[in-house]
Amino acid sequence: MKTIRTILLLIVLSFSSSKAQVSVNVNIGPPPVWAPANYVESQYYFLPDIDVYYDVPAARFIYIRNGVWHRSAYLPDRCRNYDLRRGNIVYLTDYRGNAPYTYYKAHKVKYKKRGNYYVVHDHDRGKHKGHGKGKGKGKGKHD
């Protein structure tokens, strides 16, 4: 009986003195073929030209239709002629979650197209990374 207690005590002590280790590995996944060569690891992209998000790990576009956000492997019909390789892509590097469209109104204003370039307000610098097309300061790309 004393031997059983000693064994149980040793087992309890060995478990209590062991340290729990937790390892979290977030694998965003490969970028889509239409992503620019200067790829930035990000779970979501925002495509301000067409008001669409792209979920990299799920390989799904997220867009609003009839007031409801939809996820699809394909762009909506309204974007059928849109060239993803030439469009503006904003990497949302500071968002974690499942609903980037929660900030859609802010993103729409923040990455609004004006003429040939995208305007990014100075107070937004450093929060989102992206690339744009056209000339001029603040074209959707942060220094």
Side-chain angles (χ1 to χ4, degrees), residues 62-90:
I62 306 169
Y63 55 88
I64 195 163
R65 184 178 61 211
N66 297 328
V68 179
W69 288 95
H70 294 272
R71 291 176 181 262
S72 172
Y74 306 100
L75 283 171
D77 288 340
R78 65 180 169 81
C79 304
R80 72 177 141 244
N81 295 323
Y82 183 73
D83 185 354
L84 289 166
R85 293 179 192 263
R86 294 182 184 263
N88 184 44
I89 297 174
V90 179

Side-chain angles (χ1 to χ4, degrees), residues 119-132:
V119 174
V120 177
H121 303 286
D122 286 335
H123 67 275
D124 297 326
R125 292 203 175 275
K127 290 187 179 180
H128 290 29
K129 305 286 184 208
H131 91 280

Side-chain angles (χ1 to χ4, degrees), residues 2-126:
K2 189 173 184 180
T3 307
I4 294 173
R5 281 191 219 162
T6 305
I7 292 172
L8 287 174
L9 180 62
L10 288 173
I11 290 172
V12 169
L13 288 175
S14 68
F15 281 117
S16 65
S17 66
S18 66
K19 295 180 182 178
Q21 294 181 357
V22 177
S23 175
V24 177
N25 183 13
V26 178
N27 185 1
I28 299 297
V33 295
W34 47 264
N38 64 338
Y39 172 71
V40 173
E41 192 166 297
S42 176
Q43 182 177 356
Y44 294 102
Y45 302 160
F46 178 56
L47 310 172
D49 297 338
I50 55 176
D51 294 330
V52 171
Y53 291 92
Y54 183 75
D55 183 336
V56 176
R60 295 285 183 260
F61 293 97
I62 306 169
Y63 55 88
I64 195 163
R65 184 178 61 211
N66 297 328
V68 179
W69 288 95
H70 294 272
R71 291 176 181 262
S72 172
Y74 306 100
L75 283 171
D77 288 340
R78 65 180 169 81
C79 304
R80 72 177 141 244
N81 295 323
Y82 183 73
D83 185 354
L84 289 166
R85 293 179 192 263
R86 294 182 184 263
N88 184 44
I89 297 174
V90 179
Y91 301 105
L92 301 180
T93 58
D94 63 349
Y95 177 77
R96 300 289 179 266
N98 295 323
Y101 46 82
T102 302
Y103 301 103
Y104 171 68
K105 287 181 181 178
H107 291 153
K108 189 172 174 76
V109 170
K110 189 181 292 187
Y111 303 110
K112 183 176 183 176
K113 185 174 182 178
R114 294 206 182 128
N116 288 341
Y117 61 94
Y118 291 85
V119 174
V120 177
H121 303 286
D122 286 335
H123 67 275
D124 297 326
R125 292 203 175 275

